[in-house]
Amino acid sequence: MRYAETGFNLEVDLTRGNIERVESDPRDTELYLGGLGTSAKILWDRVPPETEPFSPDNLLIFSAGLLCGTPATGCNRTIVSTVSPQTRLMAFSMMGGFWAPELKYAGYDKVILRGKSPDLVYLWINNDKVEIRDATHLRGKGTVETAELIRQELNEPKAQVAAIGLAGENRVYFASIEQGRSSASRGGIGAVMGDKGVKAIAVRGTKDINVAQPAEFMALCNEVLKYIKFRNENPIPGVMPILAGLGSPQEMKVHDEKWHTENFMWGNSRVRRKDFWNEEVAKQWAETLDNMRTRLISCFNCPMTCGATISPPGLPTYMMKCFSKLTYTMAAFSDLEFGLGIAQSATEYGVDGFSTPQVMAFALELYENGILTDDDFPGMPSDNEGRFYWLLDRIVRREGIGDALANGTYWAAKQIGKGAEAYAHNNIKKHEQLPLKLSMLNPIYFLMYSTGEKINITQIEGQFPQAPWPTREEREEFAKDWFQVPDEKFKQILLDWEPRGEKSMPYYPTVEMCCDIVDWQERMHYIDDALGMCSGLSSFPLKPPYHIHNYPKFISAGAGIDMDEEKLTQAIKRYRTLVRAFNIGRGMRRKDDKPPENHWKKRFPELEKELLDTYYELKGWNSQGIPTKESLHELGLDYVAEDFEKRGIYSEEGTPSSETLAEEYKVKGGNRHG
Amino acid sequence: MGEKKKKVVKTIKVDVDKCNGCRACEVACSAFHAAPKYSSNNPARARIRVIREPLRDVYVPVYAGEYTPAECAGRDKYTIDGKAYEECAFCRASCPSRDIFKEPDSKLPLKCDMCEGDPTLEKPLCVQWCLVDALTYEEREEEVEEEKEQEELEIGLEALVNKHGLDKMMDTVARMALSKKE
């Protein structure tokens, strides 16, 4: 019997309309765990580097995590992976909600889509019965709307539906997949879904998920719940409220947005408004949120209430969480009422809440600077808010200038030319980042921005405090019950770390310490991505209930795989390296491992070089960021080394030939029919 | 008049305003009632279900009550605070008109047992797992007249005797007693 996982994947060939239920190899679970780990293996095996994102040969994999469907609190993530049309690298965006557990109860760990459907379809997975159904009547419908229509049509209110909107159908490079109150939105995976002609996947399951050691597993779950209660009652002192507790940053709860609005940038990640927050704004925004927010809600089997149902006046209700609360507001220099209102349209269209506002602010900046002109904006309203609504519509329909903008700032700038590139200034690996511009280099964040292959800072940071408490007493207080550390040395680093003076940034923590801190932070995210755990209970917050010490026990008791910290760390390193290898195959090299040029004003080139060199070495990568033969061998990934040999990747000298895949790509993304 | 007797009434108080719709109660319930205990998980086997319509802000955790072989003659719809609840939303019965509270394989009815058993939990597990306090547990003592039960039994039997005849009833009871002994 397979434990925690079902042991079966659904293989769907959309071109031929063929569906197969295929047993997976339990040895792969031991080596790559599940979720991202086993998906990365499938992508490596079956999607060679020549594969275009919009080729029928590209795979789109919806995977439940290894422990989804067990009683492990907060374990509900769907990991969607494919080749991103925007970065042209592996995208592995995750969504919470209710979809992954339902898929497990239906009897599957993954849904693997290949080929392209000639017409728009949706997939209906009802336990053993799986159908490809016509979705032409759903063309152009919103994501939330689609989910409701499908549930009605199937007469199955309990079906969980992951759907794309107009943006996905039109292959917008930052189109999302929306589901319940969650979305998998980074990297443009919704565009790949649209390219495959799949409007939605609906799933309903009523089967069992077994665990290997029931009593032990339940005891672990109860411990986690107990610790969540403890942490809810004992927020971390001396840090800003959103870092004090557990869960995703509690944006739906907090009214005080002084920190975000005064420290993050407005517009096209340009303007810092240091005196923005005042009593009047506070009052107005609190009123807006209180009036629109119906209820705080959670994902499957989680008490954290990070999300909310939002009902803007005169608009349909939708669900929201986290920082998309402010991204539209700040991009448009507007207020919360506007932000929550336009987010309703954006959710229905199915677009990413980070990239989209920046793309629109970028367009208006080009307009203000004469690079785009009135001819590019026929019929655009003159008021600021109206412009954003107008631009959103053009983008998701790929109409006029919207067709270029729909490819994101990097590709749009190339297409537009005339110096537009300088305005696409907030990208890493062609992907729009959080709007932050800071003064002095932070070496820990430098490494995370540079090497994080999910290409999103929130998906690698966590665990280690962002800044030292001013006094040693405060640091001691924090360290005293900090049992989540993988090694006692991390406590000492924190204790010695000062805001100013000799033991302060950028030279303290030392290069080696920074590398260890980043490696630990990243490791936790990669475990979550394989197990399907919400990072809000594990890798993201300080002092989380899941950590490197209890995870091996969860895997042993849950999946029946004999696991300890060392074996787990090795497994994570294995599939993390495989993600790297996949991207190396697609042309990514050291030159791509860098933050936006203007992220920090004060840079330290020598230190940065040393940081990257040392981190690469720790990871088992050579100076170009390519996993070495030796490290691949140690991880049992000789097949990767052989492939690299065959492709001549190791014989490159100095500057790699990697411009090939990443750059020569035809800039014109265009319509499905274009 | 019969003797007064103390009886413990176990109550799960459901505060729908506090429900976050996460269905942890379903998870805990299905794990607790798996055989062996906690060995499997399947909310479709849970004896509590959250009737959930997030877009209409409807969240109703409902417990499985008695099995009933027949549908209701009519259906009700409730509107509370301007929110309409679907018919049967608050009903606890495992009944032919809907598919909840039935084992997914055998279709046998499910019923909440307040996590009694070996050992009986201090609080039902769903309550323990509901950290948002939509479910809370309360025990209270009620005085009941013991006689009443006897009375009710007789009324019930009387109806059966009228329908089937005393002889047939006696035979049936005797046969049931015999088969129970075996």
Side-chain angles (χ1 to χ4, degrees):
Chain A
M1 195 201 270
R2 304 280 281 265
Y3 295 105
E5 58 180 348
T6 66
F8 289 94
N9 295 334
L10 267 184
E11 292 272 0
V12 182
D13 182 340
L14 294 156
T15 308
R16 294 165 52 223
N18 188 52
I19 302 167
E20 275 175 77
R21 178 173 172 266
V22 179
E23 190 166 3
S24 60
D25 188 342
R27 283 170 304 183
D28 280 345
T29 312
E30 243 186 287
L31 292 171
Y32 308 95
L33 303 181
L36 170 67
T38 39
S39 291
K41 176 72 165 66
I42 292 168
L43 287 171
W44 171 270
D45 287 344
R46 291 168 52 183
V47 184
E50 298 76 23
T51 313
E52 287 293 319
F54 291 147
S55 148
D57 298 332
N58 189 10
L59 299 182
L60 180 65
I61 308 176
F62 286 73
S63 181
L66 178 62
L67 296 183
C68 290
T70 73
T73 294
C75 199
N76 49 44
R77 260 32 187 188
T78 307
I79 301 94
V80 191
S81 48
T82 188
V83 178
S84 158
Q86 188 189 40
T87 66
R88 306 182 52 73
L89 304 170
M90 188 193 294
F92 47 107
S93 198
M94 333 234 311
M95 57 187 174
F98 295 78
W99 200 89
E102 200 70 37
L103 183 70
K104 295 287 274 285
Y105 299 135
Y108 313 97
D109 300 317
K110 292 182 201 290
V111 180
I112 304 167
L113 304 176
R114 67 177 191 274
K116 276 189 204 200
S117 166
D119 294 304
L120 195 64
V121 294
Y122 75 90
L123 206 62
W124 169 220
I125 303 167
N126 186 8
N127 290 323
D128 294 334
K129 211 172 111 194
V130 185
E131 301 168 11
I132 297 173
R133 296 173 65 109
D134 175 50
T136 46
H137 60 299
L138 299 170
R139 190 182 299 281
K141 297 273 190 251
T143 59
V144 182
E145 203 182 359
T146 297
E148 284 304 302
L149 287 168
I150 287 178
R151 274 192 278 264
Q152 278 166 24
E153 173 174 318
L154 299 171
N155 193 23
E156 184 45 89
K158 293 191 203 78
Q160 302 297 342
V161 183
I164 55 168
L166 201 50
E169 288 177 40
N170 288 331
R171 305 194 306 181
V172 172
Y173 284 11
F174 40 94
S176 62
I177 300 168
E178 304 277 332
Q179 173 257 148
R181 40 138 277 172
S182 303
S183 64
S185 57
R186 299 293 276 159
I189 50 179
V192 177
M193 189 156 160
D195 181 63
K196 298 209 169 296
V198 177
K199 179 70 179 170
I201 306 181
V203 59
R204 170 71 181 143
T206 58
K207 298 190 196 183
D208 297 345
I209 288 296
N210 300 300
V211 295
Q213 297 156 28
E216 290 82 350
F217 193 82
M218 209 57 180
L220 289 164
C221 294
N222 283 322
E223 252 174 59
V224 160
L225 276 179
K226 210 171 126 192
Y227 191 69
I228 291 174
K229 263 195 230 175
F230 168 81
R231 282 286 280 105
N232 286 348
E233 287 156 12
N234 295 278
I236 311 278
V239 295
M240 69 195 89
I242 60 161
L243 294 178
L246 298 174
S248 287
Q250 296 294 336
E251 283 295 294
M252 297 297 104
K253 281 186 197 130
V254 299
H255 284 115
D256 184 352
E257 291 292 0
K258 182 178 168 66
W259 184 74
H260 275 130
T261 53
E262 294 189 351
N263 286 287
F264 284 61
M265 308 304 266
W266 295 66
N268 181 26
S269 192
R270 292 288 188 192
V271 181
R272 189 163 164 198
R273 299 168 86 181
K274 280 185 180 172
D275 302 311
F276 173 76
W277 197 253
N278 58 38
E279 242 173 74
E280 198 190 323
V281 175
K283 190 168 158 265
Q284 192 202 356
W285 287 30
E287 247 170 54
T288 301
L289 189 60
D290 289 343
N291 288 339
M292 293 195 195
R293 185 185 57 193
T294 334
R295 181 185 295 253
L296 293 171
I297 53 173
S298 295
C299 295
F300 183 76
N301 191 21
C302 180
M304 290 318 300
T305 59
C306 311
T309 29
I310 305 283
S311 306
L315 293 171
T317 299
Y318 70 104
M319 291 172 266
M320 170 183 264
K321 67 175 163 58
C322 212
F323 194 52
S324 42
K325 174 186 172 187
L326 296 185
T327 51
Y328 292 95
T329 296
M330 291 179 67
F333 290 93
S334 187
D335 57 16
L336 189 59
E337 191 176 350
F338 162 77
L340 295 182
I342 196 168
Q344 189 275 329
S345 307
T347 304
E348 288 284 16
Y349 285 145
V351 285
D352 175 38
F354 277 15
S355 288
T356 312
Q358 267 186 64
V359 170
M360 298 192 287
F362 158 84
L364 291 175
E365 222 182 53
L366 294 182
Y367 179 54
E368 282 155 21
N369 288 282
I371 293 172
L372 291 175
T373 63
D374 284 330
D375 295 343
D376 298 303
F377 301 93
M380 181 168 76
S382 56
D383 69 300
N384 185 38
E385 280 85 359
R387 286 176 166 180
F388 274 79
Y389 276 101
W390 185 87
L391 277 167
L392 181 59
D393 259 19
R394 301 286 83 66
I395 288 169
V396 298
R397 294 173 207 284
R398 279 190 176 276
E399 282 171 5
I401 192 66
D403 191 32
L405 296 175
N407 297 336
T409 55
Y410 174 88
W411 298 108
K414 283 205 157 208
Q415 245 170 296
I416 293 163
K418 297 181 239 168
E421 273 101 336
Y423 297 83
H425 68 106
N426 199 35
N427 298 329
I428 298 176
K429 301 181 174 82
K430 310 177 179 64
H431 195 37
E432 290 81 9
Q433 300 298 305
L434 264 182
L436 260 175
K437 299 293 163 196
L438 303 163
S439 54
M440 195 187 68
L441 177 92
N442 175 324
I444 299 172
Y445 273 76
F446 169 80
L447 279 178
M448 292 194 293
Y449 275 117
S450 299
T451 63
E453 247 148 298
K454 220 192 254 177
I455 325 180
N456 201 64
I457 194 64
T458 58
Q459 300 301 316
I460 182 168
E461 67 182 345
Q463 304 286 328
F464 200 81
Q466 293 189 5
W469 284 268
T471 67
R472 192 173 175 96
E473 288 69 43
E474 286 169 290
R475 300 197 291 272
E476 273 167 2
E477 182 62 24
F478 181 83
K480 95 178 173 224
D481 60 354
W482 195 16
F483 58 83
Q484 289 87 349
V485 290
D487 190 297
E488 289 296 305
K489 72 183 174 193
F490 291 101
K491 289 187 184 173
Q492 197 56 48
I493 299 174
L494 178 70
L495 290 175
D496 295 340
W497 188 18
E498 304 271 358
R500 264 168 293 278
E502 203 184 314
K503 292 261 169 103
S504 74
M505 295 237 175
Y507 294 110
Y508 193 92
T510 66
V511 169
E512 281 74 23
M513 290 170 183
C514 288
C515 290
D516 285 341
I517 291 167
V518 172
D519 185 58
W520 167 31
Q521 299 192 103
E522 184 179 78
R523 193 188 318 163
M524 298 315 297
H525 281 277
Y526 273 77
I527 305 183
D528 292 348
D529 295 359
L531 303 187
M533 185 60 68
C534 170
S535 65
L537 289 177
S538 170
S539 46
F540 187 77
L542 299 165
K543 296 188 178 171
Y546 293 100
H547 42 81
I548 191 69
H549 309 303
N550 64 0
Y551 262 147
K553 296 178 194 165
F554 267 97
I555 296 169
S556 298
I561 298 169
D562 189 25
M563 192 60 74
D564 55 35
E565 285 179 31
E566 201 181 327
K567 199 173 156 194
L568 178 57
T569 301
Q570 189 77 348
I572 299 155
K573 198 170 178 190
R574 185 175 297 119
Y575 59 79
R576 196 273 170 263
T577 304
L578 202 52
V579 171
R580 183 88 190 170
F582 184 87
N583 289 334
I584 290 291
R586 297 191 64 86
M588 189 183 78
R589 293 294 183 275
R590 184 181 184 122
K591 66 172 176 50
D592 301 300
D593 281 345
K594 59 177 189 208
E597 210 55 52
N598 59 0
H599 186 79
W600 289 286
K601 257 195 217 108
K602 205 166 166 204
R603 299 284 292 264
F604 296 79
E606 270 170 44
L607 175 64
E608 290 172 20
K609 180 180 180 301
E610 199 191 339
L611 280 162
L612 217 48
D613 285 342
T614 314
Y615 189 66
Y616 280 0
E617 208 180 317
L618 174 73
K619 290 289 205 186
W621 306 341
N622 70 17
S623 63
Q624 275 305 318
I626 303 166
T628 63
K629 266 180 242 176
E630 295 71 32
S631 69
L632 289 168
H633 177 72
E634 196 191 314
L635 295 167
L637 298 177
D638 290 315
Y639 59 86
V640 173
E642 281 160 31
D643 182 85
F644 281 179
E645 288 275 14
K646 215 169 61 198
R647 293 179 187 275
I649 284 173
Y650 285 129
S651 49
E652 292 166 1
E653 299 224 345
T655 327
S657 62
S658 54
E659 297 297 316
T660 47
L661 294 155
E663 310 295 337
E664 77 178 18
Y665 174 57
K666 269 197 316 221
V667 162
K668 206 153 174 70
N671 275 307
R672 218 182 137 77
H673 310 289
Chain B
M1 274 283 137
E3 213 177 307
K4 297 261 187 191
K5 207 188 151 190
K6 294 232 163 118
K7 181 182 152 195
V8 175
V9 180
K10 296 181 165 185
T11 309
I12 295 171
K13 298 205 294 186
V14 181
D15 186 341
V16 299
D17 292 335
K18 286 187 179 158
C19 180
N20 61 346
C22 81
R23 300 167 60 200
C25 48
E26 298 179 11
V27 172
C29 178
S30 81
F32 182 82
H33 290 97
K37 197 181 274 184
Y38 306 130
S39 63
S40 69
N41 198 255
N42 182 356
R45 294 188 202 283
R47 294 128 195 248
I48 176 169
R49 297 299 162 80
V50 184
I51 311 275
R52 241 177 119 256
E53 285 181 69
L55 298 179
R56 297 204 303 114
D57 197 43
V58 167
Y59 295 83
V60 190
V62 189
Y63 285 87
E66 289 299 330
Y67 163 74
T68 173
E71 291 186 335
C72 294
R75 306 278 168 85
D76 307 320
K77 280 197 173 190
Y78 289 89
T79 302
I80 303 170
D81 281 342
K83 248 185 285 176
Y85 291 83
E86 64 176 58
E87 47 186 33
C88 313
F90 300 97
C91 179
R92 302 182 54 174
S94 171
C95 94
S97 69
R98 59 180 184 178
D99 70 346
I100 68 166
F101 302 144
K102 285 169 192 156
E103 277 285 354
D105 306 329
S106 62
K107 305 289 173 201
L108 287 168
L110 296 163
K111 185 184 158 184
C112 170
D113 61 0
M114 290 280 178
C115 292
E116 286 179 359
D118 186 22
T120 294
L121 300 183
E122 193 189 323
K123 287 178 192 173
L125 200 61
C126 55
V127 173
Q128 294 186 35
W129 276 49
C130 184
L131 299 198
V132 295
D133 290 335
L135 308 176
T136 47
Y137 180 68
E138 197 177 77
E139 278 181 11
R140 64 173 193 276
E141 284 196 340
E142 266 181 14
E143 286 200 331
V144 288
E145 281 178 35
E146 207 169 37
E147 198 73 352
K148 217 171 165 184
E149 221 174 292
Q150 185 67 24
E151 239 171 66
E152 275 175 10
L153 181 63
E154 275 175 31
I155 293 167
L157 280 176
E158 190 86 44
L160 287 172
V161 167
N162 288 342
K163 189 172 174 191
H164 302 289
L166 187 59
D167 286 351
K168 208 170 174 185
M169 280 287 295
M170 302 261 282
D171 282 353
T172 309
V173 172
R175 201 172 56 242
M176 282 169 73
L178 209 65
S179 72
K180 284 264 151 84
K181 264 181 212 159
E182 283 164 8

